Amino acid sequence: MSDQNLEQLSINTIRTLAIDAVQAANSGHPGAPLGMAPMGYTLWQRFLRHNPANHRWPGRDRFVLSAGHASMLIYSLLHLTGYPKMTLQELKDFRQWDSQTPGHPEFFHTDGLDATTGPLGQGIAMTVGMAMAEAHLAARYNREGFPVFDNYTYAICGDGDLQEGVSHEAAALAGHLGLGKLIWLHDDNEVQLDTMVAKADSERMRLRFEGYGWQVLKVEDGNDVGAIAAAIEQARAETAKPTLIQVRTVIGFGSPRAGTPKAHGEPLGDEGVTKTKQALGWDHPAFTVPAEVAEHMSALKRGAAQQAEWEEMMNRYRAEYPELGQEVDDLLERELPDNLWGALPQWEAGSKAQATRSSSGEVINALAPLVPGLVGGSADVSGSTKTAISDSEHMQAGNYAGRNVYFGVREFGMSAAANGMSLYGGLRPLVGTFMVFSDYLKPAYRLSALQMQPVTYVLTHDSVGLGEDGPTHQPVEQLAMLRAVPGAHVFRPADANETAAAWALALEYKKGPTALVLSRQNLPVLPANHAGVKKGAYVVRDAENAAVTLLATGSEVALALDAAEALAGEGVAARVVSMPCFELFREQDREYRREVLGTAPRVAIEAAASQPWFEWVGTEGGLVTLDRFGASAPGEVVLEKLGFSVQNVVKVVRETIG
Amino acid sequence: MSDQNLEQLSINTIRTLAIDAVQAANSGHPGAPLGMAPMGYTLWQRFLRHNPANHRWPGRDRFVLSAGHASMLIYSLLHLTGYPKMTLQELKDFRQWDSQTPGHPEFFHTDGLDATTGPLGQGIAMTVGMAMAEAHLAARYNREGFPVFDNYTYAICGDGDLQEGVSHEAAALAGHLGLGKLIWLHDDNEVQLDTMVAKADSERMRLRFEGYGWQVLKVEDGNDVGAIAAAIEQARAETAKPTLIQVRTVIGFGSPRAGTPKAHGEPLGDEGVTKTKQALGWDHPAFTVPAEVAEHMSALKRGAAQQAEWEEMMNRYRAEYPELGQEVDDLLERELPDNLWGALPQWEAGSKAQATRSSSGEVINALAPLVPGLVGGSADVSGSTKTAISDSEHMQAGNYAGRNVYFGVREFGMSAAANGMSLYGGLRPLVGTFMVFSDYLKPAYRLSALQMQPVTYVLTHDSVGLGEDGPTHQPVEQLAMLRAVPGAHVFRPADANETAAAWALALEYKKGPTALVLSRQNLPVLPANHAGVKKGAYVVRDAENAAVTLLATGSEVALALDAAEALAGEGVAARVVSMPCFELFREQDREYRREVLGTAPRVAIEAAASQPWFEWVGTEGGLVTLDRFGASAPGEVVLEKLGFSVQNVVKVVRETIG
């Protein structure tokens, strides 16, 4: 069989596996894999460095199918290149419970994926973070003759990806940083779900991306393997700019619905499958992989050799640069220093009041030398969020060693990039913005959680207490929003010491993101109680025969203590509990939880929406919370007017205890 | 005084009012108003049609200060042009409790604002909706010689606005639609908060915006009133494309911090103010408005004349086209038809099961003829969300009469545009996407609530019950997120009849957005109970001496009914309550709430995060909810595996009642 015939046979194998699987599931997206198969084939067969036998090998190229609905493309490629768990049976079980082949690709679920995709725009945005991670780690750790970090990052994306706003943020950032090893292939098929692209979008993608500083290439015929390969070569040759390759394809290629929106998201039907196979010249039973294709496409040997070469280089690197070698190994394992907790700054109770955002800044700078993977930045509010590592530079085009990033006013792109940096391996990204703008990054926060990536979100200016900037800048419902996300940890520390402990716990938690919700205003320093923070909640002021338990977080812990003092003066004994992290508190045994919460009636105090508090105070408890938007005025005025005063807490306590 | 001197004096009046107010507040952003003052002056003095005495006059031009932190620019302009409530005292009370001058401009709080701004990118995105509304209403209602809807929409934006992803979505949509009366002035000052723009962004804005199909103009000197005016003229002359005018300004012009990030967000200090005034040649006391400036800039006469001319034309229009005139008047008043409730489709209990998204589609099409302001579309999932008005076209460039919009895969831009359409007046926009992607539009949803705009969000595929698309597409925490937003209504109807009632209530609610959370899967039709839905919750199945009350929403109401049946078979009497809208239920009197909830232990059933349910079931109630991500498999399998089965509900009930 000629090379060209073998190529065509391979491409049609990808195509027919995809439509057979969609048909078997009677659910899924046949159109995209039919059109994308040649570019998927070309990229994986001719360029992608990966080892199916070791899917997390750090030296591999990264590939993200940003158009995640085309999942059968990547599942077919994983099967054909030899990923052991991706058996033919798994393809037959597409979209079934517990299969390796969920509807959209899920990192941590299926070997060989570099990211979870489906929420459009985020796949490509994560590749920007991956390419940043590669450039950054290369700048810090590569040495002459030792390309420890040296890989390309590829994505295939659709029109939907490029319509999403996050594509703008990510592409502008990638262009600014000149990420020359980042390559996106645009499945430019002129069709979207509702209609033809021309009915919803008139962008000239070339101008737009050249505006971002990208190289833009065009492949006129998406079935032309040679042209696709030449474009990828040209993309790799441009080392100072990322490249967008517009590949003109036909959605649903070969099917009766080719070139129409109908090809997008519905199975072709038995007849459609038959006709498509006829058009492709395919006359095998469903789920057939011709032996010559299996042999041709297996990446097992090639991948093993590539990895072995890298490992050998790494061994020489470790010998030549023992300290760096150790650091790289620790980094890739996300090892934390033994003395993490000891290295935290400590503040004496009663020492100068300090905003927890400032405490966080001190902690970041104390830990940065010990946690080399700690990198990050903010969405143009670093001075306010105190997220900068002061003894390091900012990452810039051509100079990627800086551990700080000017992300620009791009909260969502920043957070998606952080997910990509984390997925790349080794890094422990932190990102910062104002708490209220967690709204802008929520979709990426969810993907941190779903992908179990330990990104730390530093969210400052955490309540109406921020004052004058007013309701557009004052979070109210964001704590409820973040606390509802499965697998994420949310801390709202009461003071400097709780902030330090929260940072250590954020670094120790490796199964998801952590949000650190921090004050703009100064808060008094309480006695350090790391053990208490580790348990999520603890008693900060006890009282014998307490008539009420005051539950509070963050800036409201000090208010609760003042209120307890006032209540004591009125003969009402009040216990005060600080609850920096609900998730950790829920994990404690029932006995500890009972011990902390006590048996007295409870009153919750938090300058935020009440929704999360009913879990702790029940239907009969008291609430000093906020179910309205804030107002513009000095912070202490706003807090007082909205009920965050000793007087009002005392009033609510009296109403609650009757 | 020469015209030019008067102009300069006026511009410096704007500048000095801004810095005096920031200084008085000791809080705020002096840099932007200093740089923007000439363009603000030129636009308002030479172009903007508005009437300070009637700030909601429908014929006015629209102006949005997207860089909301520059609020003192617009407050100064409002004062100088003669808005009665914007007294000099209000400027002196900048950023104080209950003043007319909050930190960021707040629609509904301050007369003369067309939008609330501050969350970057959203101001300009809303102007796209305003321009769409104008073009749409003009196409439907203008007649030869009767330009009923005929105004320009202007925005001033900063670098931050253009870095935000939503700027991409909005600009691409505006370019696609060829909105020729939309004009953005970019305060191109090369400085952002953290650093110089060049450190965070290398975009060539001209290419990017030409890629979107915009006209791009440049003003080299942002102090050159003539050049700014010429550019605005040129922008208005281009009727087939929106225009971006890049105005090169100096942030903090005249101040010691001019041209640096330090000028952005801190008061200048007394010395800085003094030096700035010296540089501007200004030697008046703080808060001085020279008499000739007051006279020159007052828009009262001009605005009254403009409005009178429009009113006169409207009177002739009403005479010439009585029916249209009535429709326009009703539209602008957001009148609803008297027979709204009677016009709703009705379904007989037990008739064919139907997805609530489909029921919603039927309701939309039943109401569209009666509610001419109903316009909208979806983020490229109209076929799935059933949001299209079937007897109307889609809005396209040059043909704006269609009531449907192909928003593209742009959830956030779509929702911000909907806010703009609603703010424009008259329209009742609806937008649709999958429930999980409410994450992408959350920032706009918040602004719907904060601005009290009655946008209807049709959010379908509302639980893991959507099945095969898997966890990236399965909402879990989104109900908690939306329910925590102050002032918004969230409905999760149990069937077709509840869906119809929810739509009517969404239209009747004029103080904020409504989210309709709808199923992908078919749900049985229950007996209609509009009165129950109006109260937010009601008993759908009662039982004498109920041992348990099952509280459920949406698809889980049917499950609760099945479970109640099973429990009855086991001798356990269960009441079932449908709770489509928590917000309305909270508004009922205590007696009704008690009556509905009963005194038996309660079990909540909802395929979503548990957080919102503790309010109703307390700490001792039972929960059949979901605090993990979903999984890819057929919907009924996923629901069953995750506990949404009769068997599991019965089990939880037994545990709860002990």
Side-chain angles (χ1 to χ4, degrees):
Chain A
M1 184 173 277
S2 75
D3 284 359
Q4 213 176 341
N5 286 350
L6 191 53
E7 274 178 356
Q8 201 50 50
L9 195 67
S10 300
I11 289 166
N12 283 339
T13 306
I14 296 168
R15 284 177 168 141
T16 54
L17 287 176
I19 61 176
D20 285 341
V22 169
Q23 196 57 29
N26 195 27
S27 167
H29 299 78
L34 286 171
M36 291 170 175
M39 71 175 110
Y41 167 81
T42 308
L43 181 60
W44 280 55
Q45 188 70 15
R46 300 212 187 164
F47 296 96
L48 199 73
R49 285 164 58 89
H50 65 121
N51 183 4
N54 183 356
H55 68 108
R56 292 280 164 84
W57 162 47
R60 73 191 185 281
D61 287 336
R62 303 302 192 275
F63 172 76
V64 174
L65 182 66
S66 193
H69 56 274
S71 56
M72 270 311 302
L73 175 76
I74 194 164
Y75 298 148
S76 299
L77 288 166
L78 292 172
H79 174 69
L80 294 169
T81 54
Y83 283 75
K85 289 192 197 158
M86 189 56 75
T87 62
L88 205 58
Q89 186 59 45
E90 295 292 347
L91 301 189
K92 292 176 183 169
D93 290 343
F94 181 51
R95 295 183 157 232
Q96 304 309 305
W97 184 264
D98 223 17
S99 75
Q100 289 287 301
T101 47
H104 292 80
E106 289 175 44
F107 183 78
F108 263 132
H109 184 90
T110 304
D111 290 356
L113 302 179
D114 288 321
T116 295
T117 52
L120 290 177
Q122 291 200 66
I124 44 178
M126 287 189 280
T127 66
V128 173
M130 294 175 187
M132 287 168 71
E134 193 266 350
H136 172 72
L137 291 169
R140 281 171 66 181
Y141 296 109
N142 288 4
R143 293 293 179 269
E144 186 69 35
F146 294 98
V148 176
F149 296 96
D150 180 21
N151 65 270
Y152 288 92
T153 300
Y154 299 99
I156 293 181
C157 64
D159 294 300
D161 286 303
L162 298 176
Q163 287 173 15
E164 287 287 0
V166 71
S167 72
H168 160 66
E169 300 182 10
L173 183 61
H176 172 70
L177 292 173
L179 299 171
K181 291 160 92 175
L182 176 65
I183 299 168
W184 293 356
L185 293 100
H186 171 203
D187 178 41
D188 182 15
N189 62 25
E190 303 185 285
V191 169
Q192 57 193 82
L193 211 172
D194 267 355
T195 180
M196 303 302 286
V197 170
K199 293 279 186 194
D201 194 35
S202 308
E203 280 173 76
R204 284 177 293 172
M205 214 59 85
R206 170 180 295 277
L207 286 183
R208 176 183 163 201
F209 273 77
E210 287 180 353
Y212 295 145
W214 286 52
Q215 173 178 228
V216 180
L217 305 175
K218 180 129 187 130
V219 173
E220 295 290 349
D221 175 4
N223 288 317
D224 184 342
V225 170
I228 295 168
I232 296 174
E233 289 288 7
Q234 199 178 336
R236 288 158 54 115
E238 168 58 75
T239 59
K241 291 178 178 182
T243 296
L244 177 74
I245 306 175
Q246 297 189 265
V247 185
R248 174 54 48 91
T249 61
V250 176
I251 193 171
F253 180 83
S255 82
R257 296 173 184 166
T260 73
K262 280 287 277 181
H264 172 84
E266 286 171 46
L268 297 170
D270 287 329
E271 198 190 323
V273 169
T274 304
K275 286 191 175 166
T276 307
K277 289 182 177 173
Q278 281 168 358
L280 298 174
W282 188 267
D283 61 355
H284 304 289
F287 293 106
T288 294
V289 177
E292 55 272 48
V293 170
E295 197 197 326
H296 171 65
M297 287 194 68
S298 170
L300 282 162
K301 269 193 210 157
R302 193 172 72 217
Q306 288 164 346
Q307 181 175 353
E309 188 188 357
W310 185 85
E311 299 285 4
E312 185 273 330
M313 180 271 296
M314 278 304 293
N315 285 334
R316 285 187 291 111
Y317 179 77
R318 290 186 190 98
E320 184 102 1
Y321 303 102
E323 272 186 40
L324 280 181
Q326 187 64 50
E327 192 168 314
V328 168
D329 287 340
D330 287 351
L331 193 87
L332 291 174
E333 292 295 323
R334 288 197 171 129
E335 287 285 342
L336 291 175
D338 294 337
N339 63 339
L340 176 67
W341 286 85
L344 296 174
Q346 293 191 28
W347 290 266
E348 210 166 315
S351 61
K352 189 158 178 282
Q354 179 175 73
T356 50
R357 61 179 170 139
S358 301
S359 319
S360 167
E362 287 188 41
V363 176
I364 288 169
N365 281 286
L367 294 182
L370 305 173
V371 184
L374 198 64
V375 297
S378 83
D380 200 36
V381 284
S382 299
S384 303
T385 55
K386 315 288 182 192
T387 39
I389 297 174
S390 54
D391 76 346
S392 185
E393 290 181 283
H394 281 77
M395 214 180 279
Q396 288 295 346
N399 177 11
Y400 298 105
R403 293 169 67 182
N404 297 298
V405 182
Y406 287 127
F407 280 107
V409 189
R410 304 178 180 115
E411 296 82 5
F412 187 7
M414 165 180 78
S415 307
N419 281 335
M421 293 167 95
S422 181
L423 286 162
Y424 182 84
L427 297 180
R428 296 299 307 267
L430 75 104
V431 293
T433 186
F434 293 156
M435 176 64 170
V436 77
F437 299 130
S438 60
D439 281 1
Y440 279 63
L441 58 77
K442 168 73 190 352
Y445 185 80
R446 184 175 216 253
L447 268 196
S448 298
L450 187 54
Q451 298 180 109
M452 296 194 274
Q453 293 306 300
V455 174
T456 305
Y457 291 80
V458 177
L459 303 168
T460 69
H461 298 60
D462 72 343
S463 80
V464 293
L466 66 85
E468 291 92 342
D469 274 339
T472 57
H473 283 55
Q474 291 165 341
V476 171
E477 74 279 18
Q478 283 69 20
L479 270 165
M481 172 178 89
L482 298 176
R483 285 178 179 144
V485 177
H489 284 178
V490 179
F491 286 87
R492 188 165 185 253
D495 75 340
N497 288 310
E498 281 198 9
T499 303
W503 251 113
L505 290 163
L507 290 171
E508 286 184 347
Y509 184 54
K510 295 181 183 173
K511 296 197 167 168
T514 297
L516 303 178
V517 180
L518 306 173
S519 75
R520 175 190 184 219
Q521 72 271 34
N522 291 332
L523 306 181
V525 178
L526 309 174
N529 185 340
H530 288 175
V533 179
K534 285 180 190 177
K535 291 182 173 170
Y538 62 101
V539 177
V540 289
R541 174 192 163 119
D542 212 350
E544 254 184 280
N545 300 317
V548 66
T549 300
L550 304 179
L551 308 174
T553 75
S555 46
E556 283 68 69
V557 173
L559 172 61
L561 288 168
D562 289 347
E565 195 66 37
L567 286 162
E570 300 180 17
V572 178
R575 165 185 289 186
V576 176
V577 172
S578 177
M579 296 192 67
C581 181
F582 289 12
E583 296 82 13
L584 291 180
F585 187 55
R586 274 189 212 111
E587 287 174 11
Q588 306 307 312
D589 56 37
R590 177 181 275 261
E591 199 178 337
Y592 180 75
R593 282 184 284 136
R594 272 198 195 151
E595 195 185 305
V596 169
L597 296 172
T599 51
R602 301 171 198 156
V603 172
I605 314 175
E606 184 172 70
S610 56
Q611 185 175 273
W613 282 101
F614 292 96
E615 179 176 358
W616 311 112
V617 306
T619 53
E620 305 301 320
L623 294 166
V624 182
T625 50
L626 192 64
D627 291 311
R628 54 157 281 182
F629 291 113
S632 173
E636 59 276 22
V637 176
V638 179
L639 285 167
E640 202 268 328
K641 292 274 189 186
L642 298 180
F644 299 92
S645 63
V646 168
Q647 193 188 359
N648 190 49
V649 173
V650 169
K651 178 170 157 274
V652 173
V653 167
R654 290 212 169 275
E655 287 164 6
T656 306
I657 63 180
Chain B
M1 184 173 273
S2 77
D3 284 1
Q4 214 175 339
N5 286 351
L6 190 54
E7 274 177 357
Q8 202 50 51
L9 194 67
S10 300
I11 290 166
N12 284 338
T13 305
I14 296 168
R15 285 177 167 141
T16 53
L17 288 176
I19 61 176
D20 285 341
V22 170
Q23 196 57 29
N26 195 25
S27 167
H29 299 79
L34 286 172
M36 291 170 175
M39 70 175 109
Y41 167 81
T42 309
L43 181 60
W44 280 54
Q45 187 69 15
R46 299 213 188 166
F47 298 96
L48 198 73
R49 285 164 58 89
H50 65 122
N51 183 5
N54 183 357
H55 68 107
R56 292 279 163 83
W57 162 44
R60 73 191 186 280
D61 287 335
R62 303 304 192 273
F63 171 76
V64 174
L65 182 66
S66 194
H69 56 274
S71 55
M72 269 312 302
L73 175 75
I74 195 164
Y75 298 147
S76 298
L77 289 166
L78 291 172
H79 174 69
L80 294 170
T81 55
Y83 283 75
K85 289 193 197 159
M86 190 56 76
T87 61
L88 204 59
Q89 186 59 46
E90 295 293 345
L91 302 188
K92 292 176 183 171
D93 290 343
F94 182 49
R95 294 183 157 232
Q96 303 309 306
W97 184 265
D98 223 17
S99 76
Q100 289 287 301
T101 47
H104 292 79
E106 289 174 45
F107 184 78
F108 262 132
H109 184 87
T110 304
D111 290 358
L113 303 179
D114 287 321
T116 294
T117 53
L120 291 177
Q122 292 200 66
I124 44 178
M126 287 188 280
T127 65
V128 173
M130 293 175 187
M132 288 167 70
E134 192 266 352
H136 173 72
L137 291 169
R140 281 171 68 183
Y141 296 108
N142 288 5
R143 292 294 179 272
E144 185 71 33
F146 295 97
V148 176
F149 296 95
D150 180 20
N151 65 270
Y152 289 92
T153 301
Y154 300 99
I156 293 181
C157 63
D159 294 300
D161 285 304
L162 298 176
Q163 288 174 12
E164 288 287 0
V166 72
S167 73
H168 160 67
E169 300 182 10
L173 182 61
H176 172 71
L177 292 174
L179 299 171
K181 291 160 92 176
L182 177 65
I183 298 167
W184 293 356
L185 292 101
H186 171 203
D187 177 41
D188 183 14
N189 62 24
E190 303 185 287
V191 169
Q192 55 193 83
L193 209 172
D194 268 356
T195 180
M196 302 303 285
V197 170
K199 295 278 185 193
D201 194 35
S202 307
E203 278 173 75
R204 284 178 291 172
M205 215 58 86
R206 171 180 294 278
L207 287 182
R208 175 183 163 202
F209 273 78
E210 286 179 354
Y212 295 144
W214 286 52
Q215 173 178 231
V216 180
L217 305 175
K218 181 129 185 130
V219 173
E220 296 291 348
D221 175 5
N223 287 317
D224 184 341
V225 169
I228 295 167
I232 296 173
E233 289 288 7
Q234 199 178 337
R236 288 158 55 115
E238 168 59 76
T239 59
K241 291 177 178 183
T243 297
L244 177 74
I245 305 174
Q246 297 189 266
V247 185
R248 174 53 48 89
T249 60
V250 176
I251 192 172
F253 180 83
S255 82
R257 296 173 182 164
T260 73
K262 280 286 276 180
H264 173 83
E266 285 172 48
L268 297 170
D270 286 329
E271 195 189 325
V273 169
T274 304
K275 286 191 174 166
T276 307
K277 288 182 178 174
Q278 280 168 358
L280 297 174
W282 188 267
D283 63 353
H284 304 289
F287 294 105
T288 295
V289 177
E292 55 270 50
V293 169
E295 196 197 325
H296 171 63
M297 287 192 68
S298 170
L300 282 163
K301 268 192 211 157
R302 192 173 72 218
Q306 288 164 345
Q307 179 175 354
E309 189 187 356
W310 184 85
E311 299 286 3
E312 185 273 330
M313 180 270 295
M314 278 303 293
N315 285 334
R316 284 187 291 112
Y317 180 76
R318 289 185 191 100
E320 183 103 4
Y321 303 102
E323 273 187 37
L324 279 183
Q326 187 65 49
E327 192 168 314
V328 168
D329 286 339
D330 287 352
L331 194 88
L332 291 174
E333 292 295 324
R334 287 195 173 132
E335 287 284 342
L336 291 174
D338 294 337
N339 62 339
L340 176 68
W341 287 86
L344 296 174
Q346 293 192 28
W347 290 266
E348 211 166 316
S351 62
K352 189 157 178 281
Q354 178 176 72
T356 50
R357 62 179 168 138
S358 302
S359 318
S360 167
E362 288 188 41
V363 177
I364 289 169
N365 281 287
L367 295 182
L370 306 173
V371 185
L374 198 64
V375 297
S378 83
D380 200 37
V381 284
S382 298
S384 302
T385 54
K386 315 288 184 195
T387 38
I389 296 173
S390 54
D391 76 346
S392 185
E393 290 182 282
H394 281 76
M395 214 181 279
Q396 289 294 347
N399 177 11
Y400 298 105
R403 294 169 67 183
N404 298 297
V405 181
Y406 287 126
F407 280 107
V409 188
R410 305 177 180 116
E411 296 83 3
F412 187 5
M414 165 179 79
S415 307
N419 282 335
M421 292 166 95
S422 180
L423 286 162
Y424 182 84
L427 298 180
R428 297 300 307 266
L430 73 105
V431 293
T433 186
F434 293 157
M435 176 64 171
V436 76
F437 300 130
S438 60
D439 281 1
Y440 279 63
L441 59 76
K442 169 73 190 354
Y445 186 80
R446 183 177 217 254
L447 268 196
S448 298
L450 187 52
Q451 298 179 110
M452 296 193 276
Q453 292 307 302
V455 174
T456 305
Y457 291 80
V458 178
L459 303 168
T460 69
H461 298 60
D462 73 343
S463 80
V464 293
L466 65 87
E468 291 91 342
D469 275 337
T472 56
H473 282 56
Q474 292 164 342
V476 171
E477 76 278 19
Q478 282 69 19
L479 271 165
M481 172 178 89
L482 298 177
R483 284 178 180 145
V485 177
H489 284 179
V490 179
F491 286 87
R492 188 164 184 254
D495 76 338
N497 288 312
E498 281 198 9
T499 304
W503 252 113
L505 290 163
L507 290 172
E508 286 184 345
Y509 184 54
K510 295 181 184 172
K511 294 194 169 172
T514 297
L516 302 178
V517 179
L518 306 172
S519 75
R520 176 191 184 218
Q521 72 271 33
N522 290 333
L523 306 181
V525 178
L526 308 174
N529 186 340
H530 288 177
V533 179
K534 286 180 191 179
K535 291 182 173 172
Y538 62 100
V539 176
V540 289
R541 173 192 163 119
D542 211 351
E544 254 184 281
N545 300 318
V548 66
T549 300
L550 305 179
L551 308 174
T553 75
S555 46
E556 283 69 68
V557 173
L559 171 61
L561 288 167
D562 289 348
E565 194 66 39
L567 286 162
E570 298 180 19
V572 178
R575 166 186 288 187
V576 176
V577 171
S578 177
M579 294 191 67
C581 181
F582 289 13
E583 295 83 12
L584 290 180
F585 187 53
R586 275 191 211 108
E587 287 174 12
Q588 305 310 310
D589 58 37
R590 178 181 275 260
E591 199 178 338
Y592 180 75
R593 283 184 283 137
R594 272 197 194 150
E595 193 185 307
V596 169
L597 296 171
T599 52
R602 300 170 198 158
V603 172
I605 315 175
E606 184 172 72
S610 56
Q611 187 185 104
W613 284 101
F614 293 95
E615 179 177 358
W616 311 112
V617 305
T619 55
E620 305 302 319
L623 294 167
V624 182
T625 49
L626 193 65
D627 290 311
R628 53 156 283 182
F629 290 113
S632 173
E636 59 276 19
V637 175
V638 179
L639 284 167
E640 202 269 327
K641 293 273 188 188
L642 298 181
F644 299 91
S645 62
V646 168
Q647 194 187 359
N648 190 50
V649 173
V650 169
K651 178 169 156 279
V652 173
V653 166
R654 290 210 169 277
E655 287 164 7
T656 306
I657 64 179

